[in-house]
Amino acid sequence: MAQFDLNDDGVVVIIGSGAGGGTLGNELAQRGARVVILEAGGRHEIEDFINDEWASFTQLAWADTRTTGGSWRVARDFPNLPAWIVKAVGGTTTHWAGASLRFTAHEFQARTQYGAIAGANLLDWPITLAELEPYYAQAEDRMGVTGTNGIPRLPGNNNYKVLAAGARKLGYKEFHTGNMAINSEPRAERTSCHQLGFCFQGCKMGAKWSTLYTEIPAGEATGRLEVRPNSMAIRIEHDAQGRASGVVYADAEGRQQRQRARLVAVAGNSIESPRLLLNSASARFPDGLANSSGQVGRNYMRHTTGSVYAVFEKPVHMYRGTTMAGIVRDEAAHDPKRGFAGGYELETLSLGLPFLAAFLDPGAWGRGFTSALDSYDHMAGLWIVGEDMPQAENRVTLDPRVKDRHGMPVASVHFDDHANDTAMRRHAYGQGRALYEAVGATRSFETTPYPSTHNLGTNRMSASPRDGVVDKWGKAHDLPNLYVSDGSQFTSGAACNPTLTIVALAIRQAEHIAGRMARGEV
Amino acid sequence: MRQIDKRAAVRRRVFLRGAATGPAALAAAGFALGAEAAWAGDLRVLTPATMATLARAARDIFPHDRLADRYYIAAVLPYDDKAASDKVLRALIEEGAARLDAEAQARHGRAYVQLVGEADRVAILQALEATPFFARLRGDLVVSLYNQKEVWPVFGYEGASYDKGGYIERGFNDIDWLPEA
C-alpha cells in the first residue's frame, strides 16, 4: 500500500474520504496521480459496524463540538449537534440511506426558473443537466443504483407498502422503491440487501455503496492512494505565488504534521470545508482562503425536511428492512401554484425505538408523548426532502469563543428557515398526513427536522468569481490548484438526496484535474 | 404477519454496577417504586430518599404502564456512580430531588413519592420544567430508559438483526391489512 513522504510535493492531498473525497481519490489514482487522503476519523470496516443506534452513533458520528445560532429548532434541541454526519473513513457514505436521484434540468437554473425571491440568494449553476448526464450515468453504474443499468429495484418493505397504498389513494402516480445504491442482487463483488434495517448504522452486508469498501480499496490497489485516518486538517498553506502548497494536520497523537502538495481538494462536508478555508486565512488571503467573494460559509442549505409518523390500528413494524424503502416523486416538480418555489420528495424513513424516542419530538415528555411510543410497532414513517432557499445569512462562521483541542476555532452554524421553506414544509406535512390518513392512520405526528444530514452550499459554484467560491469544475476562483469536492460546492440544493450528484461531480472533476496535470497546468 | 413476543426479556444486564443492580436482579428481588426504596440500600453517595424520588419522577416523565418499575429504577441508578465523581451533577440531582419534595410539601403536605395522584406529581414536574435539573433528568432518561434492550420487546422493537440474517426471511414485507389497489 502506498505511503508518501510528508515532503513529497508531487502528491494530490484530499481532505475527507466520503462521497466526494473518496471518489475523487480513487479516480485520480486510477488515472495515475499519487494521492494522499487525510481523514479526520478512524477506519471502521464492515465487520465493526454495530446494529445498535446509540452504540453506532458513538462509533461513527461527528461529535466534535460545534455551536449553533438562528431560529431553527435544532439550535434549541441539539445546540452542539447541528448535523448528523460521520467522522470515519468513508465519511457519511457509511451512514447515508442510499437514495440516488438525479437533479432535473430546472434545478440547475434555480434563479432563472424561480425568479427573484426576496431574501433568497438564488443563483444558477454554471453547469447544466446535459453536461452532468454522462457523469451521472458513470456514477449510477459505479454505485449500482437500482432502477438504472438494468438493475432491478429493491422489494418494498412494510413501511413502503403503507406509503404506496396511501400514495395510490391520494392519486399520486410516481412512487416506487427508489433509485438506491443498494444491491438488489449481487454486483461488483458485493452481496445483496438482506433487509437488515440499520442502513444508518453502516451496512453490515456491504450491500449499500460506501467509499469505505468500494472506491477507497480500489484506489489503494493501484499503489497510488494512501488514506491517513485520524488526521484532522488544521489549515491549508500557500506559497508566495498564491498556490496551495500543503496541508497542516494533527495526527492520531495530536502532533502537527505538514503534508506538501501539488494540488489540494477539500471534501470535509459543508460545515468543516468552509471552516478549514476560514481557518486558513493568511496575510494574502485575510478573509480566508478562496474567499474574495465573501461567500465562503454562506448560503448554507440543509434541505427543507421533516418527518411524518403515523399510527395505525394494526402493526406495521416499519424498522424491518431498508430504512429508505421507497419514494413518492409527484411533489418534486416546480409548481408555484402550491405557494412555494421548488419541490419535495416523500421518502420512507424509520428509526429504531431509541432514536424515535430521542427525535420524535425532542424535549417532549408525559403521556401524550409516551402513548405515541407505546404504538411504536404500529407506526409508519416518512421523510420530507425539499429544496430550501440559499440565504446569505445562513452560514458557517468561526466561533469567536470556542476552540477545538488543537486550538482552532470551531464551526458555528446559523440557520433560519426562509418563508419558502416554511410554506413547503407545511404543504409536505399536510400531504404526508393525508397520505397516511387515507389508509387508516388514527394519529399522526409532524416531526421537526433532525440535525442536518444534507449539508450543502457553503462553497458554492458560480460563473462569476463575485458570486461564489468555486468555478464550474469546483476549482477555487482565487487559487489555481485548490478544489472543493463535496456538497459545499452546490449552488442550489434541488429536491434530491445529494450523494449521487456529489459523486458525479467528483468523477467529472477528476477527469478535469487529470487533464490539467497532463498538460502541466498544475 | 409475524408478531413478536412482547414479554420483556429478562436475560442480560445493562448497567455498569453489575448483577446487584441490573434490571434482572431488581426483578428477582421484587423491587418496585416506593418510599422505602429497599432496592437503594447499597447506594454510594445519593440517599435512598433521593433515589426513590428520581425513580418516581422517571416514571412520571415517561409513563409506560406496561413497563415494570425496575426499568425506571435501572434508568436512574447510574446517577449514583456519576454523582460520586461529579460534584456539580451531584448537587444538581440532590437539589432537584429536594425541590420536588419541597413543592410537594408546599402543595400537599407530603413528600413527592407519597403523592398518590399522578396529576399532582405531573403538575409539580411541569412547574420545574424550565429548570436545569428537569432538562438534565429528561435528557438522560430518554436514553437510559429507551436504550435498555430489555424494554424493546414491550414496544415491539426487535433490535439487532444482522445476527439473525436480517428480515429478508423474517417479515420485512409481511403486512397483510392494507387496502387492495
Side-chain angles (χ1 to χ4, degrees), chain A residues 149-412:
Chain A
N149 295 285
I151 303 169
R153 292 191 200 274
L154 288 157
N157 67 3
N158 292 336
N159 203 20
Y160 171 71
K161 288 183 173 184
V162 177
L163 181 87
R168 204 173 286 121
K169 286 261 190 185
L170 285 198
Y172 283 148
K173 303 293 183 210
E174 193 182 353
F175 51 92
H176 47 67
T177 60
N179 298 99
M180 305 298 293
I182 298 175
N183 278 352
S184 55
E185 49 193 28
R187 189 175 193 271
E189 297 175 45
R190 291 184 289 115
T191 188
S192 56
C193 176
H194 281 53
Q195 301 288 338
L196 269 57
F198 298 102
C199 299
F200 287 167
Q201 283 69 37
C203 178
K204 281 190 79 68
M205 301 310 300
K208 179 186 78 180
W209 179 86
S210 166
T211 56
L212 172 67
Y213 40 82
T214 59
E215 309 305 311
I216 287 169
E220 287 173 329
T222 67
R224 290 185 292 274
L225 171 63
E226 177 188 356
V227 177
R228 286 185 206 153
N230 304 303
S231 299
M232 177 72 194
I234 289 177
R235 69 177 177 276
I236 299 167
E237 297 186 324
H238 62 80
D239 62 17
Q241 286 75 46
R243 302 168 61 89
S245 59
V247 179
V248 174
Y249 67 96
D251 68 15
E253 283 73 44
R255 294 174 307 217
Q256 294 204 1
Q257 309 286 358
R258 174 181 290 105
Q259 175 64 55
R260 297 194 182 282
R262 173 182 188 175
L263 182 147
V264 175
V266 183
N269 209 315
S270 290
I271 296 177
E272 289 306 311
S273 289
R275 176 194 178 210
L276 180 62
L277 295 178
L278 294 171
N279 270 333
S280 301
S282 65
R284 183 173 184 138
F285 300 105
D287 299 323
L289 217 49
N291 196 23
S292 67
S293 65
Q295 295 294 311
V296 170
R298 292 189 185 272
N299 312 304
Y300 170 67
M301 295 173 286
R302 60 183 307 255
H303 277 143
T304 294
T305 68
S307 272
V308 177
Y309 291 95
V311 176
F312 295 86
E313 183 186 3
K314 294 180 180 172
V316 177
H317 300 287
M318 66 174 171
Y319 58 85
R320 292 180 185 168
T322 48
T323 302
M324 203 159 275
I327 185 168
V328 177
R329 305 207 65 184
D330 293 69
E331 301 284 1
H334 170 55
D335 174 11
K337 287 197 298 292
R338 293 173 298 182
F340 53 88
Y344 63 86
E345 317 277 356
L346 301 173
E347 303 175 350
T348 77
L349 190 82
S350 64
L351 296 175
L353 181 77
F355 272 17
L356 193 72
F359 294 115
L360 178 66
D361 185 5
W365 60 281
R367 288 196 180 268
F369 174 72
T370 55
S371 64
L373 295 183
D374 282 335
S375 298
Y376 174 76
D377 57 353
H378 288 231
M379 270 187 190
L382 62 79
W383 193 49
I384 300 155
V385 185
E387 177 164 6
D388 59 341
M389 290 294 114
Q391 299 182 73
E393 295 307 316
N394 282 350
R395 60 189 293 206
V396 174
T397 55
L398 299 178
D399 192 294
R401 291 174 300 279
V402 184
K403 290 186 164 61
D404 69 11
R405 62 197 162 98
H406 309 298
M408 302 305 290
V410 306
S412 184

Side-chain angles (χ1 to χ4, degrees), chain B residues 108-129:
Chain B
H108 306 287
R110 50 176 66 186
Y112 182 83
V113 295
Q114 287 166 334
L115 294 183
V116 176
E118 180 178 310
D120 292 337
R121 296 192 306 271
V122 167
I124 290 170
L125 291 171
Q126 283 168 340
L128 268 60
E129 196 173 2

Side-chain angles (χ1 to χ4, degrees), chain B residues 23-88:
Chain B
L26 295 168
F31 289 150
L33 297 182
E36 299 77 21
W39 48 270
D42 65 342
L43 296 173
R44 294 168 61 192
V45 295
L46 297 179
T47 66
T50 294
M51 209 46 122
T53 303
L54 292 176
R56 179 72 257 178
R59 184 181 266 292
D60 293 333
I61 291 170
F62 292 126
H64 293 285
D65 299 337
R66 290 183 294 137
L67 284 188
D69 287 343
R70 61 183 179 275
Y71 301 109
Y72 293 96
I73 295 169
V76 296
L77 270 175
Y79 280 128
D80 188 45
D81 280 341
K82 289 182 191 162
S85 59
D86 184 341
K87 285 191 176 123
V88 175

Side-chain angles (χ1 to χ4, degrees), chain A residues 1-34:
Chain A
M1 209 172 284
Q3 203 170 350
F4 297 109
D5 192 274
L6 289 169
N7 288 313
D8 185 343
D9 60 5
V11 298
V12 172
V13 177
I14 300 171
I15 297 149
S17 62
T23 302
L24 180 67
N26 179 34
E27 284 288 315
L28 288 174
Q30 300 292 341
R31 291 168 180 274
R34 294 178 300 124

